[in-house]
Amino acid sequence: MSAAWLRVARCAATGAYCLLRKRSAVEEQRRAAGGEALMGFGMAAMAVPAAVFTPPGWAWPLYAAVFGAAALRALWAARSGPHHLHHVVGTAAMVYVSLVMAASPTSSAAHHHPHIGAGVPLVTGALLLYFTGYVLLSGARLVPAAATTGTTGAVRWGDRPELARACRLSMGIGMVAMLLTM
């Protein structure tokens, strides 16, 4: 139970930081931050232990619709560059998890932790491989590089690329955890 609360706290904190990034002076940061905040808060809501709150039956299809719309938006943004494709995969994974949760038994214990094999094993496995690779790659990118000289002024919290990478890493870890429970 405490692990679930840690996941809720981490995902909510990630969503909150992404909202802070919406105030960035960099247009690309602002665009990506909105979708990432939605993912963080959505993952936090899905991770709340069922013993505390069991969402009504209509909540899971609503999650699927919201993340489906976010997936379409991310797909549209992917026209400008392949780096947006991760957002497409992430939002599609949230749609998948929402649909699996909607199809799971309605008992409170099974609502947040569906029975083993509740999803399509091939889809779950492919998403698990993708996000595990993403987490490992993102973690490697957080390793400090040689310091660059010539930076001017203080960098605002919303413009710090290492914090944005840590935010994405946190959401990737959350997605791996969600997929492992399926």
Side-chain angles (χ1 to χ4, degrees), residues 141-164:
R141 287 182 179 161
L142 282 176
V143 175
T148 59
T149 58
T151 57
T152 59
V155 178
R156 294 172 41 179
W157 280 101
D159 294 329
R160 298 189 61 173
E162 72 278 9
L163 291 178

Side-chain angles (χ1 to χ4, degrees), residues 108-162:
S108 63
H111 219 56
H112 280 38
H113 303 287
H115 300 297
I116 301 296
V120 179
L122 185 61
V123 175
T124 303
L127 288 170
L128 193 54
L129 282 174
Y130 173 81
F131 283 103
T132 300
Y134 181 80
V135 164
L136 293 173
L137 183 61
S138 296
R141 287 182 179 161
L142 282 176
V143 175
T148 59
T149 58
T151 57
T152 59
V155 178
R156 294 172 41 179
W157 280 101
D159 294 329
R160 298 189 61 173
E162 72 278 9

